[in-house]
Amino acid sequence: MFTSVLMIEQPLTPVDVDFVTTLHGDDAVSFIVLMQPRGDQDRLLRAIDDVALGELPDAVREGDEPEGEAARGPAAHALAHSLNALRHKGAKAVGQIIEDHPLDKLKAVVEETGADEVIVLTAPHFVEEFFHRDWASRARHLVGVPVLKLFAHNE
């Protein structure tokens, strides 16, 4: 069975689920989903990304998004939704919420499970990507397995 560690920051959409579950054709796939709640440190970067995408109303509303402890409940719900969607497609899926040091946790999970790859499924983060500070760019130097970066779809 092929094992993928899937890093996400929002619930998987049906398009995302279809895409990640068919990446390896008919091979059986097992997913270990790592979900990171929103953090205070990301607010400015998210607002800049919204402005870069021309989504000014979203930039203004960034301050209204739950963060820190308030984001834990929505993150748990998003993780449960994503795991159920993957299982509904026939994939094995387990997961957990990660709050501190997501790349350290990613490296540990890859080593502990013998994962074959990492898939980072995220919204575009132009500032972080430009400076190669996004999860995928940083993970490529840490985990020792292929890292695939995909952009999440909005419903």
Side-chain angles (χ1 to χ4, degrees):
M1 179 168 292
F2 200 86
T3 302
S4 295
V5 178
L6 179 59
M7 291 189 73
I8 62 173
E9 58 188 6
Q10 61 190 28
L12 296 176
T13 66
V15 174
D16 295 331
V17 172
D18 286 340
F19 191 57
V20 299
T21 56
T22 59
L23 279 173
H24 300 288
D26 293 333
D27 293 342
V29 180
S30 172
F31 291 96
I32 302 160
V33 182
L34 301 179
M35 171 79 187
Q36 183 179 29
R38 289 180 173 251
D40 296 335
Q41 71 279 6
D42 299 330
R43 183 184 306 164
L44 177 60
L45 292 175
R46 290 192 314 258
I48 292 170
D49 288 339
D50 290 337
V51 170
L53 290 169
E55 298 171 356
L56 297 178
D58 290 343
V60 172
R61 287 192 296 270
E62 281 299 338
D64 298 334
E65 290 288 328
E67 296 177 340
E69 190 61 35
R72 192 156 174 62
H77 181 72
L79 177 61
H81 166 82
S82 299
L83 293 174
N84 287 334
L86 290 166
R87 291 173 187 145
H88 183 73
K89 282 291 188 177
K92 288 180 58 176
V94 297
Q96 61 184 288
I97 295 173
I98 51 171
E99 295 181 41
D100 296 321
H101 312 292
L103 293 172
D104 292 342
K105 183 63 174 179
L106 173 64
K107 181 179 179 184
V109 167
V110 168
E111 290 172 355
E112 291 165 9
T113 63
D116 298 295
E117 71 179 356
V118 170
I119 301 171
V120 177
L121 187 67
T122 181
H125 296 291
F126 296 112
V127 175
E128 291 175 339
E129 290 167 21
F130 181 78
F131 292 106
H132 302 285
R133 300 302 301 157
D134 58 297
W135 282 350
S137 295
R138 293 167 52 201
R140 285 186 181 106
H141 303 286
L142 289 176
V143 295
V145 297
V147 176
L148 178 62
K149 179 175 184 168
L150 302 174
F151 290 118
H153 292 83
N154 291 329
E155 288 191 294

